[in-house]
Amino acid sequence: MSVPLLDIKGLRVGFGRGAYRKEVLHGVDLHLQRGETLGIIGESGSGKTMTGMALLRLLPDTAQVAQEAMLFDGTPLHDLDEAAFGALRGVRMAMIFQDPVGSFNPAKRIGWHFRQVMKRAETAAGGVQPTGDYRARAVALMQEVGIRRAEESVDLYPHQLSGGMLQRALIALVLALEPDLIVADEPTTNLDKVVEHQILTLFKQIQRRLNAGMIFVTHDMAVAASLCDRIAVMREGEVLEVAEAQRLFDDPQHDYTKLLIATARKLASPAAPRGEPGRDKPPLMQIRNLSLVFPPSGPRPAFRALDDITLDIRQGEVIGLVGESGSGKTTLGRALLRLYRPSGGTLLFRGEDITRASDRALRPVRRELQMVFQDPGGSFNPRKLMKDSLAEALRAAGVTSSREIAARTAALLERVQLAPEHGERYPHELSGGQLQRVAIARAVALDPALIVADEAVSKLDVSVRAGVLDLFRDIQREKQLSMVFITHDLEVARYMCDRIAVLYHGRLLELGPTERVFDSPSSDYTRTLLETLDYSLGGRNFGQAGYGGTGTERAHAD
């Protein structure tokens, strides 16, 4: 057996002192060969990210890190001082974070970041490179990772690139380093499926080119199966199971692994035919030739975000809005709630034209139109207890009795499967799944007719996601709500929705029953979207190392 590129034994991380000390990693053992991809899966709080941060010494000073051994290419990392370790980190060892925006200096152009990275790599290698050559090298690397108009993009600021393009730029920076080890922490969670597939393909191609080892942290089971050679399953700071990817899914050994896979397969399975709820009733909302144009700002011209959208939202149905980033999904959802004023067309709610209604006229309507946001933490006042946030919603609905408010708050928490003590906590004291449950409780507190859920489960782990989706469906059926479900996850759309609307560049390309859209799409773009399902847990390419574009067999270096 060859010497591993990375060998970690007995890694422990704790925070606090004395009686207040809490250990969050409990003796983690992992190893990685050159050219191998090791996936780490598990729920939030399992220690996935903490392991990568500890490896690269990116934890705060309050963290206490201990290990029996931590070897990189045979070098004991724990024996290196900060200067020696700094010569490895960011040169031979690189990390790609979930949010590419946070990895760039917002005040500096993209090209500046390449210049800094290249200088650092050359200093570590003892070489000298003429300054004038940096720009040409940066443009070449950006072109290599598929960034359009690289000559122009290199002079842009990070906020001027889309999420997918910024993630490509971050990968190009890693390519500039030519590292031996890449730690990728949920690098595609916020991307739509088309861009995700392109980015993962790029990851695999670059890894093969560099023959680098890669640790890929993810909660997406299908991505782990198709991208990784081996997978480690973590829970509460411990590694429960490590196996080759295909064997892990074919024959999981630990009960927790079996639960994760079973839940993921449940979400990936086509739902039973639903029919078309509300088809024989007047539409709850009618959208006719709706358009929305954002005005010019400085050098930027006017932007048409929605273009001639026409559809009905029926009573008691769940309609999914799918499409890649920038397709207009969120803009349409907000326009339906009149958070944006349409530039053209008409918007009828229960037959009443609300297209250009004043805020005062909209006040009684808004109680029937609610939204659940992607980031539940950002939609709550951090200084208020959860029960107070729910009470505020009830008061807005006209409930004034303190006793009734307390009783209904407790009933709302119970309905979303939370205990009364959760109402006594602040937002930061709840998990993401618990916060989203409170957000659902707040939305239904006003007895709305329509809820717009904007990527409401995209940041949740697979088991938590399934529970929240089931809660959405139960409440929707119980109260006969209409729901607009915005998502870039096609499996979630198929699991949740009665009808699917496909958006592309602000236009409605396709609309129909979920089964028909998935089985026989009418537009080329929809077919392109659905091709990404080939790598899902129910897809024909599941677990077959489909990323990388070459179909190369997995590398079993160990």
Side-chain angles (χ1 to χ4, degrees):
M1 180 184 291
S2 59
V3 175
L5 174 67
L6 179 69
D7 194 6
I8 300 173
K9 288 187 173 68
L11 175 63
R12 296 180 178 274
V13 174
F15 291 90
R17 300 285 180 182
Y20 298 100
R21 187 178 188 277
K22 180 179 180 181
E23 191 170 85
V24 293
L25 290 184
H26 314 292
V28 170
D29 295 341
L30 294 171
H31 73 273
L32 179 72
Q33 300 288 347
R34 284 188 178 275
E36 182 187 31
T37 301
L38 173 67
I40 304 180
I41 63 175
E43 297 177 333
S44 296
S46 63
K48 307 186 300 293
T49 296
M50 192 73 66
T51 301
M53 300 283 274
L55 167 64
L56 295 178
R57 291 192 189 178
L58 295 176
L59 294 175
D61 294 337
T62 53
Q64 297 118 42
V65 182
Q67 62 280 308
E68 297 172 17
M70 189 181 290
L71 305 177
F72 174 68
D73 206 13
T75 301
L77 295 179
H78 48 280
D79 290 342
L80 301 180
D81 59 23
E82 279 302 315
F85 190 85
L88 289 176
R89 183 181 57 212
V91 181
R92 294 189 64 196
M93 299 189 296
M95 189 162 187
I96 298 176
F97 295 94
Q98 176 176 351
D99 179 14
V101 175
S103 302
F104 288 87
N105 185 332
K108 300 294 185 180
R109 300 179 191 273
I110 298 296
W112 178 88
H113 295 83
F114 278 91
R115 186 163 60 251
Q116 299 304 308
V117 164
M118 292 173 185
K119 283 182 178 179
R120 179 177 175 83
E122 289 157 2
T123 299
V128 179
Q129 182 74 23
T131 303
D133 197 40
Y134 290 133
R135 178 185 169 84
R137 291 168 63 197
V139 170
L141 287 167
M142 291 172 72
Q143 289 172 336
E144 189 170 343
V145 299
I147 293 179
R148 297 185 294 270
R149 299 191 297 275
E151 285 277 2
E152 301 170 22
S153 297
V154 76
D155 295 321
L156 297 178
Y157 290 95
H159 72 272
Q160 294 176 301
L161 293 179
S162 69
M165 287 297 109
L166 203 57
Q167 194 66 283
R168 288 175 185 268
L170 191 55
I171 294 172
L173 284 172
V174 171
L175 188 58
L177 291 171
E178 298 190 352
D180 297 305
L181 172 66
I182 301 170
V183 179
D185 184 14
E186 301 274 13
T188 62
T189 296
N190 294 328
L191 303 179
D192 61 74
K193 287 299 180 182
V194 171
V195 177
E196 176 189 70
H197 188 80
Q198 294 168 350
I199 294 296
L200 292 175
T201 297
L202 188 58
F203 261 117
K204 205 64 182 176
Q205 290 171 344
I206 288 174
Q207 183 201 19
R208 287 171 179 154
R209 170 182 160 178
L210 300 178
N211 194 31
M214 182 162 65
I215 295 176
F216 198 91
V217 175
T218 183
H219 66 251
D220 190 317
M221 307 291 282
V223 166
S226 295
L227 186 74
C228 303
D229 302 302
R230 289 185 302 124
I231 296 175
V233 182
M234 292 191 69
R235 184 184 189 187
E236 297 179 352
E238 297 183 4
V239 176
L240 302 182
E241 184 171 357
V242 183
E244 292 183 1
Q246 195 65 53
R247 184 160 63 83
L248 186 88
F249 282 87
D250 289 344
D251 186 25
Q253 299 300 303
H254 198 280
D255 288 343
Y256 177 68
T257 309
K258 294 175 183 177
L259 173 65
L260 283 181
I261 293 173
T263 306
R265 290 193 190 280
K266 172 186 172 183
L267 294 179
S269 301
R274 302 175 179 83
E276 296 186 48
R279 189 173 186 178
D280 55 346
K281 299 177 182 177
L284 179 70
M285 183 172 280
Q286 295 168 280
I287 301 101
R288 295 292 179 267
N289 308 112
L290 193 73
S291 64
L292 194 149
V293 179
F294 290 110
S297 176
R300 293 188 177 186
F303 176 69
R304 182 174 290 273
L306 298 177
D307 189 4
D308 198 30
I309 302 288
T310 294
L311 62 92
D312 290 339
I313 298 173
R314 300 167 180 164
Q315 296 183 43
E317 80 163 342
V318 180
I319 184 168
L321 301 184
V322 303
E324 62 188 46
S325 299
S327 62
K329 304 187 299 295
T330 295
T331 303
L332 177 56
R334 296 189 174 195
L336 297 182
L337 302 184
R338 271 301 315 275
L339 299 178
Y340 292 141
R341 183 187 291 269
S343 305
T346 57
L347 191 60
L348 304 179
F349 178 71
R350 297 194 190 278
E352 179 185 350
D353 191 342
I354 63 169
T355 314
R356 290 164 186 82
S358 66
D359 287 342
R360 184 174 181 178
L362 283 172
R363 196 167 297 158
V365 176
R366 289 199 190 282
R367 293 180 183 175
E368 296 195 80
L369 305 174
Q370 292 296 306
M371 191 163 194
V372 178
F373 296 92
Q374 177 176 2
D375 179 12
S379 61
F380 286 100
N381 186 331
R383 297 183 177 182
K384 283 190 174 183
L385 296 172
M386 306 314 299
K387 68 175 184 180
D388 294 332
S389 292
L390 291 177
E392 191 175 52
L394 291 169
R395 290 190 191 97
V399 182
T400 56
S401 166
S402 297
R403 180 176 297 179
E404 185 179 356
I405 287 174
R408 290 184 62 174
T409 296
L412 283 168
L413 288 172
E414 183 181 2
R415 182 63 194 84
V416 296
Q417 300 164 10
L418 293 177
E421 54 262 30
H422 289 106
E424 303 291 338
R425 298 178 187 174
Y426 291 96
H428 70 274
E429 296 177 310
L430 297 182
S431 69
Q434 289 169 338
L435 265 179
Q436 200 62 288
R437 288 175 182 271
V438 180
I440 295 169
R442 183 175 60 179
V444 301
L446 299 176
D447 290 323
L450 174 67
I451 292 179
V452 175
D454 186 9
E455 299 282 8
V457 297
S458 65
K459 291 188 174 182
L460 302 180
D461 303 306
V462 60
S463 58
V464 178
R465 182 186 308 176
V468 171
L469 288 175
D470 287 341
L471 177 62
F472 263 124
R473 289 211 302 188
D474 290 346
I475 290 178
Q476 184 267 331
R477 289 169 179 167
E478 173 188 310
K479 296 183 174 290
Q480 283 300 294
L481 296 171
S482 297
M483 185 177 292
V484 175
F485 204 89
I486 299 170
T487 182
H488 65 255
D489 191 321
L490 298 174
E491 291 178 349
V492 167
R494 181 168 56 184
Y495 185 76
M496 276 294 297
C497 302
D498 302 305
R499 289 193 299 155
I500 299 289
V502 182
L503 296 181
Y504 181 68
H505 288 183
R507 297 185 66 87
L508 180 62
L509 291 189
E510 186 159 355
L511 175 66
T514 300
E515 294 79 15
R516 200 275 297 160
V517 171
F518 275 80
D519 293 342
S520 54
S522 61
S523 78
D524 291 339
Y525 175 70
T526 306
R527 282 189 281 272
T528 299
L529 276 181
L530 295 178
E531 283 174 2
T532 64
L533 287 175
D534 287 345
Y535 297 95
S536 71
L537 267 70
R540 60 186 178 185
N541 292 335
F542 167 70
Q544 295 183 17
Y547 298 111
T550 62
T552 307
E553 297 83 13
R554 298 185 187 278
H556 296 294
D558 54 348

